[in-house]
Amino acid sequence: MPNQRVQGEIGYHKLSEWWLSTFSEAEREHIERSAGPLTEGEIGRTSQTPTRLLYQAASNFRRVEDLSIAQRLLARAEEMAGSDILDLHYCYMTRILLHYRHRNAAPTALNEGIAACEKQIALAPMAAVAFKEWLPNHPLPAHTGFYQLTVIRDKQGNYEEAIRLSRLALEQGWAGDWERRIVRYEKKVLKRGRVKA
């Protein structure tokens, strides 16, 4: 199996052995039906990083039955990103979106989504710098990790943490309705205080 020649983007990025050993033949066929041909044709040159190839492929697996495939693609994507801040940022974003989607259907999905939010938030100051270098005349985009974790903490009744996250996102300059969120969460804290009294 390791000597099998794989072409396309998978072969170009030297992912052949991983591809053949990580997925069954049926899974490989399913991935290429869903994410497009990844092993076809000779690739002479590409601007796509291996991390981007894999997290974009993973984003096609939105059904809970396919979560295991997405997780394996994302694990390898994160591993290959190394110190590329924006590749990591988007890898975590994909992980957050896929896991939060299945928070009620897959037992570990919510915790894995929260862990990905925390990783993306920890990376946020460096990601902000990287975005400003990449697109110097543009404001920062929305930040999935801050947004999703704020929503989760709000639903859990942890309004203080939702406020802290919203303030941090606002301070760092990430796009979003952070000021309105802070006001809303502060009202919830006050209301809870009145109920307890």
Side-chain angles (χ1 to χ4, degrees), residues 39-170:
T39 62
E40 291 179 14
E42 288 287 345
I43 306 290
R45 186 174 183 174
T46 181
S47 60
Q48 175 143 276
T49 67
T51 296
R52 195 171 310 134
L53 172 74
L54 296 174
Y55 73 66
Q56 287 177 348
S59 70
N60 290 282
F61 296 97
R62 296 183 186 98
R63 299 180 317 159
V64 69
E65 310 88 75
D66 292 330
L67 191 55
S68 168
I69 289 174
Q71 288 170 328
R72 283 175 276 165
L73 288 164
L74 288 167
R76 184 65 173 172
E78 184 177 347
E79 184 181 299
M80 296 201 74
S83 59
D84 188 311
I85 301 302
L86 292 183
D87 268 356
L88 282 169
H89 173 88
Y90 284 113
C91 184
Y92 295 143
M93 182 178 86
T94 306
R95 190 180 286 277
I96 292 163
L97 295 172
L98 289 173
H99 284 90
Y100 190 72
R101 178 185 190 99
H102 300 301
R103 65 194 178 279
N104 298 319
T108 62
L110 180 60
N111 286 337
E112 290 185 36
I114 289 170
C117 287
E118 290 170 343
K119 285 182 176 184
Q120 197 188 38
I121 289 168
L123 201 68
M126 291 179 286
V129 171
F131 271 114
K132 288 173 185 171
E133 288 173 358
W134 179 38
L135 299 167
N137 299 317
H138 291 78
L140 291 177
H143 192 286
T144 306
F146 274 120
Y147 169 77
Q148 200 61 73
L149 193 53
T150 301
V151 168
I152 291 167
R153 297 310 183 212
D154 176 27
K155 287 182 177 182
Q156 292 173 335
N158 190 346
Y159 309 126
E160 292 83 0
E161 180 62 4
I163 292 167
R164 186 190 75 77
L165 290 165
S166 298
R167 285 185 177 148
L168 194 54
L170 180 64

Side-chain angles (χ1 to χ4, degrees), residues 8-61:
E9 297 263 22
I10 294 292
Y12 177 84
H13 288 299
K14 298 179 174 47
L15 291 165
S16 302
E17 190 173 334
W18 166 81
W19 173 255
L20 295 169
S21 63
T22 302
F23 302 104
S24 69
E25 185 175 348
E27 286 174 328
R28 294 195 300 270
E29 288 173 5
H30 179 47
I31 291 167
E32 296 207 76
R33 276 194 310 272
S34 303
L38 302 175
T39 62
E40 291 179 14
E42 288 287 345
I43 306 290
R45 186 174 183 174
T46 181
S47 60
Q48 175 143 276
T49 67
T51 296
R52 195 171 310 134
L53 172 74
L54 296 174
Y55 73 66
Q56 287 177 348
S59 70
N60 290 282
F61 296 97

Side-chain angles (χ1 to χ4, degrees), residues 174-185:
W174 297 100
D177 60 343
W178 303 114
E179 290 168 330
R180 279 203 319 243
R181 285 179 176 280
I182 291 165
V183 169
R184 188 164 74 235
Y185 301 143

